[in-house]
Amino acid sequence: MENAENELTRRFAEARPPFAGWLQVELVSVSPDRVEAQIHVAEHLTNRAGGMHGGAIMAFADILGGMAARASLPPLTRTTTIESKTNFLRAIRPNQMAHGVCIPLHRGRTITVWQTTVSDGDLRPAAIVTQTQLNLPAE
Amino acid sequence: MENAENELTRRFAEARPPFAGWLQVELVSVSPDRVEAQIHVAEHLTNRAGGMHGGAIMAFADILGGMAARASLPPLTRTTTIESKTNFLRAIRPNQMAHGVCIPLHRGRTITVWQTTVSDGDLRPAAIVTQTQLNLPAE
Amino acid sequence: MENAENELTRRFAEARPPFAGWLQVELVSVSPDRVEAQIHVAEHLTNRAGGMHGGAIMAFADILGGMAARASLPPLTRTTTIESKTNFLRAIRPNQMAHGVCIPLHRGRTITVWQTTVSDGDLRPAAIVTQTQLNLPAE
Amino acid sequence: MENAENELTRRFAEARPPFAGWLQVELVSVSPDRVEAQIHVAEHLTNRAGGMHGGAIMAFADILGGMAARASLPPLTRTTTIESKTNFLRAIRPNQMAHGVCIPLHRGRTITVWQTTVSDGDLRPAAIVTQTQLNLPAE
């Protein structure tokens, strides 16, 4: 990892939203072109079948998408999520690390589109999340 | 609320997924045609702007959608979420109750479609979540 | 139908996009709160199973969504579709009229969200389309 | 292109749905792992702004998605589209060829997920379509 990316990752980890801290999302790296993170699939994140709850998967992915959108923001702008779409492909077993990688599909001036792939501990894709962000002037 | 609905609500509250307990989702009522719940927007559910995190909104809605799909299941079947789509309409301020209501859009034998509206403390719609469930033979 | 709505419907029918004319979409009524239209499911709109092609259903719904967004535009603005999500619920048999009704789910200053229900000849819902529009200054 | 792919492409072109013929979609190649096609953006496919109508883009992409799902079907099964999600990234100018490429994101036994990228004449991505197919026993 280059120094600039190191620095960006540190800044994003410090300024993470409270919800990301509560979920114990671990930021691996942040750059304008890619955000990577992981999360331990503890028992409290599971569904009745014992796998990672779909809501927890979407929450984890949304944190990555928000950070990625923010890492690409022009000066004096902020970003808000307009919509998010998840396809669930596979269950994630508990007591392992789930991985997430977010990349841009499109970066327009006003609208950006991001795709986050959440994988299980064997790095098999378990969910694909596509979300749209709206860039607005900073308040 | 009728007695049968009372009984169903009690059963679902007892058998809620661990993730629903951890988020402190409060089940209001469960029937095959409608699931209602609420959640306190505590500080740990917020984003950097101080509102309810989009990921927390989706997690909350997903819990309702899963319960609604389960409340409509034929005997000896189980259900899994295939995909979920959220439109975000409005921020939800912290330190209030967010409300969720899930109703069926479609109940086929194999595929069911559900719509959950998450509203803020003044019952203004803040997010609309549409999700698809696949019904499978019980394991 | 009131006179104002009559007049709006006539104006929208005259200014319909070329693609709507080619598909032979018949506009029933246009108001800022609701757009209704129908289309004959001719053989050239069908799939290999003989029903209305999913692509034709989405094209029909998109025409309604675009008109509805336009009917609600503030002066000196234009609108563009950011994203569209369709759930398919039921096949539409050929040689009947398919019906579409579009209503707003949300009308913000910048973002509007619309829901179009496409029904078969017996008015049974066959597809539900949710789409997001971005309002921009007129060029 | 290998001979087997040549043969598959020819078979799919012959058995294309009526709607694909009407839209004049030109199949470039079909294999279980990739379907490619193009379409001329004639005036009758345009919107009021003169670009390719969003409904025409979705119709074009849906034809590719359906063919791709069919090219991957196990024997004695058929496939139906459950849902489709489109992100629009860029306008497609008229009087050029639009290109579409569909690849699998996931191929389970029951559920498959496909992603189609529609590009303009300069091969710049203009829309990304993700759709879910349900595999059923052949009738």
Side-chain angles (χ1 to χ4, degrees), chain C residues 24 31 50 57 59 72 78 80 91 95 103 120 128-129 135 137:
Chain C
Q24 297 186 267
S31 79
I57 292 174
S72 277
R78 61 190 171 97
T80 185
N95 299 317
I103 58 170
D120 69 7
I128 294 180
V129 180
N135 290 350

Side-chain angles (χ1 to χ4, degrees), chain B residues 12-13 21-22 28 44 61 66 93 113 120 137 139:
Chain B
F12 269 75
W22 194 60
V28 175
H44 62 256
R93 306 266 43 97
V113 183
D120 69 7
E139 273 167 340

Side-chain angles (χ1 to χ4, degrees), chain A residues 15 48 55 62 82-84 86 88, chain B residues 15 48 55 62 82 84 86 88:
Chain A
R48 282 163 33 93
D62 191 53
I82 294 173
E83 59 92 25
S84 180
T86 301
F88 295 101
Chain B
R48 283 163 33 94
D62 192 52
I82 294 173
S84 180
T86 302
F88 295 101

Side-chain angles (χ1 to χ4, degrees), chain C residues 53-71:
Chain C
H53 196 285
I57 292 174
M58 292 192 287
F60 173 53
D62 191 54
I63 287 164
L64 271 83
M67 285 185 176
R70 216 147 49 78

Side-chain angles (χ1 to χ4, degrees), chain D:
Chain D
M1 209 188 314
E2 296 172 18
N3 277 350
E5 189 177 325
N6 254 322
E7 169 62 16
L8 202 58
T9 307
R10 199 185 51 72
R11 276 207 290 127
F12 270 75
E14 276 175 9
R16 67 183 179 182
F19 186 55
W22 193 60
L23 278 178
Q24 298 188 267
V25 172
E26 299 170 22
L27 212 48
V28 175
S29 64
V30 176
S31 79
D33 295 328
R34 190 173 186 279
V35 170
E36 187 176 343
Q38 54 185 11
I39 186 172
H40 182 249
V41 185
E43 203 267 343
H44 63 256
L45 298 185
T46 58
N47 57 30
R48 283 163 33 92
M52 188 173 181
H53 197 286
I57 292 174
M58 292 192 286
F60 173 53
D62 191 53
I63 286 164
L64 273 83
M67 285 183 176
R70 215 146 52 74
S72 277
L73 273 182
L76 300 178
T77 57
R78 62 192 169 94
T79 181
T80 184
T81 308
I82 294 173
E83 59 91 25
S84 181
K85 167 67 161 72
T86 302
N87 287 81
F88 295 101
L89 309 181
R90 170 192 295 278
I92 299 181
R93 308 266 42 98
N95 299 318
Q96 54 175 288
M97 299 304 287
H99 296 263
V101 173
C102 179
I103 57 169
L105 291 184
H106 177 68
R107 281 182 289 202
R109 228 178 338 163
T110 310
I111 296 290
T112 61
V113 183
W114 303 86
Q115 191 159 71
T116 304
T117 302
V118 178
S119 304
D120 69 7
D122 297 320
L123 298 183
R124 294 175 298 192
I128 294 180
V129 180
T130 309
Q131 66 188 79
T132 305
Q133 299 278 140
L134 174 67
N135 290 350
L136 295 164
E139 273 168 338

Side-chain angles (χ1 to χ4, degrees), chain B residues 103-121:
Chain B
I103 57 170
L105 291 183
H106 177 68
R107 281 183 288 203
R109 229 177 336 161
T110 310
I111 296 290
T112 61
V113 183
W114 303 86
Q115 191 160 73
T116 304
T117 303
V118 178
S119 304
D120 69 7

